[in-house]
Amino acid sequence: MTMLAVDLNRESPRFQAVQQLLNRRLGFDRPELDPALVSLIQAIREHGAAIASELQFPSSKDEEWRFTDISRLLGVDFQPATVPSEAFMDITPFVLPEAEHSRLVFVNGVYSAQLSDLSGLKIDTITNLLSGAVPEAKLNPYLGKQPANQEVFTALNSASLTDGAVVSIPANQVIETPIHLLFLSLENGQAEIASPRTLIIAEANSSATLVEQYVTISSCPAAPGITPYFSNAVTEVWLEDNAQINHTRIQQEGQQAIHISKTAVSQNRDSRYTLNSISLGAGLSRHNIEVSQQGEGTQTTLNGLTEITGQQCSDTHSSVNHLYPNGSSNQLHKCIVDREAHGIFNGKVFVPKAAQLTNAQQLNRSLVLSDKAKVDTKPQLQITADNVKCSHGATVSQLEEEEVFYLQSRGLSKEASRYLLIDAFANEILARIPLTSLQGKLAQCLSCRTHF
């Protein structure tokens, strides 16, 4: 039986041992910690453990998981991630010039003050959970309060909560400097599980640009890797009235990694949220995006790009709930699938009767580069309102031979023509990322992977 399966039983000795380890890591006896904050974290962990103990891990018999095989996750005895020394870590390849001095770094889910640099920010509410810069009274209405926590992997993340990234933008403030949240995974020679947690709060009339990045520090994410590890990440995003967040999320875990994540978003009236989600790494990955529009005039934009090869499996499940009138959502998700990889997209848009005058578009486009590659796509609309403008669609295709021939007629080789078309297909999403340096890094990584 795996540690994960045992962890679902709160009475088991293994579960209790893990909780004691997490207590020591948190350091409940540290005098500088706010007792109210410690109580809040304990309550979230206990609540997460209670939910997890009542749930089972999904299987192919569950409709939402029928295309995603997680047997490789349940077949490994994962241990809680250790905290390595940061002394000799070189994070230079991941530093973004636009956010060089506005960076929070976590190593195996644990905050690293040594690798972080917040000197370029004028506010102190962008920090780690245990710093105390954001008081418990401010965190309590938000942390662990998204309705999306009623799910086994999110519950396990909550049950393992020891620290996390907190981005709290005060009302009426516009943060011009992009904020970089960097989560590093370090292979330690044994199978480990880390549970990164991120909380983003944008108060009324505030604005910020964020990059949330998951990478392996030991090698290129395209390299085979040595030891499997499991990253179980949860991000909660709250936008108050007229707030704006441009959120870019990059997943570049190692090929032996399993990366399962949740991005839960709650938007109030007239707020604007943009998510640019790029998935390149991990042998098995799944990103659950759940957006709830909680006010009129709300705007949601979801841009996604998945590029996988080898025997990778990447799953994107999204849900956008339009609950009020005059809301809009626009989703474009692209997949590039090569060799024996398996791409999955399932997008849902809900428009109940109360959400009149909703404007919602959803499109999934997939490019299949190999006869053995596979794509399962399922865009969905559920509409009961009668005065809306909604559309959805999906395409799965190969490179057009006529387009390849046209480029060859202009002097390019067949191979160069194919690469140019693949790069152009991906660039429609990459061009929407607001950081030029990140666009370049990702374009280079994508080109290296597809040209290999």
Side-chain angles (χ1 to χ4, degrees), residues 267-273 292-300 322 324-329:
Q267 295 183 249
N268 279 6
R269 183 186 183 98
D270 296 322
S271 62
R272 298 168 301 284
Y273 176 73
S292 180
Q293 295 190 351
Q294 299 288 337
E296 291 191 36
T298 305
Q299 300 176 26
T300 304
H322 293 264
Y324 286 82
N326 296 297
S328 68
S329 65

Side-chain angles (χ1 to χ4, degrees), residues 124-191:
D124 61 359
T125 54
I126 299 172
T127 181
N128 66 308
L129 179 61
L130 296 182
S131 69
V134 183
E136 179 275 338
K138 178 64 175 294
L139 297 172
N140 202 349
Y142 300 104
L143 186 61
K145 299 301 192 298
Q146 289 279 6
N149 63 7
Q150 305 293 322
E151 175 264 325
V152 64
F153 290 106
T154 304
L156 284 173
N157 178 284
S158 295
S160 304
L161 179 63
T162 54
D163 203 350
V166 177
V167 178
S168 179
I169 312 299
N172 305 310
Q173 290 221 19
V174 176
I175 309 300
E176 301 288 353
T177 303
I179 301 161
H180 189 193
L181 309 177
L182 181 61
F183 295 89
L184 302 174
S185 295
L186 183 66
E187 293 183 3
N188 290 322
Q190 64 178 353

Side-chain angles (χ1 to χ4, degrees), residues 34 88 218 273 334:
D34 178 11
F88 303 103
S218 58
Y273 176 73
K334 290 190 168 187

Side-chain angles (χ1 to χ4, degrees), residues 72 221 229 251-259 279-286 308-309 311-314 449:
R72 70 180 84 179
Y229 64 90
Q251 189 273 109
Q252 293 174 290
E253 301 274 18
Q255 291 299 294
Q256 290 293 323
I258 298 168
H259 182 94
S279 180
L280 304 178
L284 169 64
S285 66
R286 174 161 169 142
I308 50 177
T309 186
Q311 294 183 327
Q312 287 180 273
C313 177
S314 181
R449 288 165 57 86

Side-chain angles (χ1 to χ4, degrees), residues 343-373:
I344 303 161
F345 173 81
N346 189 317
K348 299 178 181 178
V349 177
F350 297 95
V351 187
K353 191 170 184 178
Q356 301 293 335
L357 301 175
T358 290
N359 187 341
Q361 285 86 40
Q362 180 188 80
L363 177 62
N364 173 224
R365 296 182 60 197
S366 297
L367 185 60
V368 180
L369 303 179
S370 166
D371 291 339
K372 295 183 179 180

Side-chain angles (χ1 to χ4, degrees), residues 174-332:
V174 176
I175 309 300
E176 301 288 353
T177 303
I179 301 161
H180 189 193
L181 309 177
L182 181 61
F183 295 89
L184 302 174
S185 295
L186 183 66
E187 293 183 3
N188 290 322
Q190 64 178 353
E192 296 185 337
I193 176 174
S195 302
R197 188 72 172 235
T198 301
L199 175 65
I200 300 169
I201 306 168
E203 296 187 5
N205 307 306
S206 66
S207 176
T209 298
L210 299 99
V211 176
E212 178 187 358
Q213 188 174 17
Y214 297 86
V215 299
T216 176
I217 198 170
S218 58
S219 64
C220 168
I226 302 172
T227 308
Y229 64 90
F230 177 28
S231 180
N232 182 30
V234 172
T235 299
E236 298 176 282
V237 185
W238 300 84
L239 290 89
E240 302 296 349
D241 292 355
N242 199 40
Q244 178 172 331
I245 291 291
N246 194 314
H247 181 193
T248 297
R249 187 185 190 281
I250 314 296
Q251 189 273 109
Q252 293 174 290
E253 301 274 18
Q255 291 299 294
Q256 290 293 323
I258 298 168
H259 182 94
I260 296 180
S261 57
K262 168 73 65 64
T263 300
V265 184
S266 179
Q267 295 183 249
N268 279 6
R269 183 186 183 98
D270 296 322
S271 62
R272 298 168 301 284
Y273 176 73
T274 298
L275 174 63
N276 308 301
S277 179
I278 313 296
S279 180
L280 304 178
L284 169 64
S285 66
R286 174 161 169 142
H287 186 199
N288 297 296
I289 307 167
E290 299 187 11
V291 180
S292 180
Q293 295 190 351
Q294 299 288 337
E296 291 191 36
T298 305
Q299 300 176 26
T300 304
T301 303
L302 303 178
N303 305 311
L305 175 64
T306 296
E307 191 280 324
I308 50 177
T309 186
Q311 294 183 327
Q312 287 180 273
C313 177
S314 181
D315 183 353
T316 298
H317 267 61
S318 66
S319 173
V320 180
N321 292 275
H322 293 264
L323 302 176
Y324 286 82
N326 296 297
S328 68
S329 65
N330 192 333
Q331 181 175 22
L332 172 60

